[in-house]
Amino acid sequence: MAIITYPLNNITYDAAAAELYFCTRSSGVFAVKDNLDCSISGDREITISPGIAWIRNDRFSGKVAGLLEAETLLIDAAEQTLPRIDRVVLRFDAAANATGLFIKKGTPASSPAASARETGAGLYELVLYDLYI
């Protein structure tokens, strides 16, 4: 049986060892001022400020996601008659080996609800904001 002990001096580690270390944290945004804040930056635009979040996408697997520069996202135009709730998510995609910010467009309805989030090992979404459109 192999037991991973992390970190130790003079040991070369792979990503699985680091993931084991980061899976000890709950998924969420690091709680400091201005971390991944959302602001309106233009007509149908929001900007997410730099910040750090953790994603625990499996029992022994965790990720650190660091947005080092502000990122602007475009919101689709409002519907003519019914409101919707769009969801801003930080999405880890194992197949793409990448994490990014996305807006999940909601379905217009008289009583709208936000889209469900993905929480599997291969695709994990951390909800940052719900936008009432």
Side-chain angles (χ1 to χ4, degrees), residues 64-95:
V64 174
L67 180 63
L68 303 181
E69 296 179 10
E71 186 169 331
T72 299
L73 302 171
L74 299 175
I75 301 166
D76 286 350
E79 305 301 320
Q80 292 293 322
T81 57
L82 295 173
R84 70 174 193 267
I85 297 176
D86 290 355
R87 188 161 258 187
V88 180
V89 298
L90 182 67
R91 180 186 297 151
F92 166 69
D93 183 342

Side-chain angles (χ1 to χ4, degrees), residues 37-80:
D37 276 353
C38 180
S39 61
I40 298 170
S41 54
D43 188 28
R44 295 184 11 235
E45 286 183 355
I46 59 169
T47 297
I48 306 298
S49 68
I52 296 173
W54 287 282
I55 294 173
R56 184 176 184 222
N57 60 305
D58 208 359
R59 182 176 179 194
F60 296 117
S61 182
K63 314 284 187 282
V64 174
L67 180 63
L68 303 181
E69 296 179 10
E71 186 169 331
T72 299
L73 302 171
L74 299 175
I75 301 166
D76 286 350
E79 305 301 320
Q80 292 293 322

Side-chain angles (χ1 to χ4, degrees), residues 25-30 36 52-56 90 124 126 128:
R25 294 170 167 89
S26 297
S27 292
V29 174
F30 185 63
L36 297 175
I52 296 173
W54 287 282
I55 294 173
R56 184 176 184 222
L90 182 67
Y124 188 97
L126 180 64
L128 299 180

Side-chain angles (χ1 to χ4, degrees), residues 14-33:
D14 61 11
E19 284 192 292
L20 185 63
Y21 174 74
F22 289 118
C23 82
T24 62
R25 294 170 167 89
S26 297
S27 292
V29 174
F30 185 63
V32 295
K33 185 179 179 184

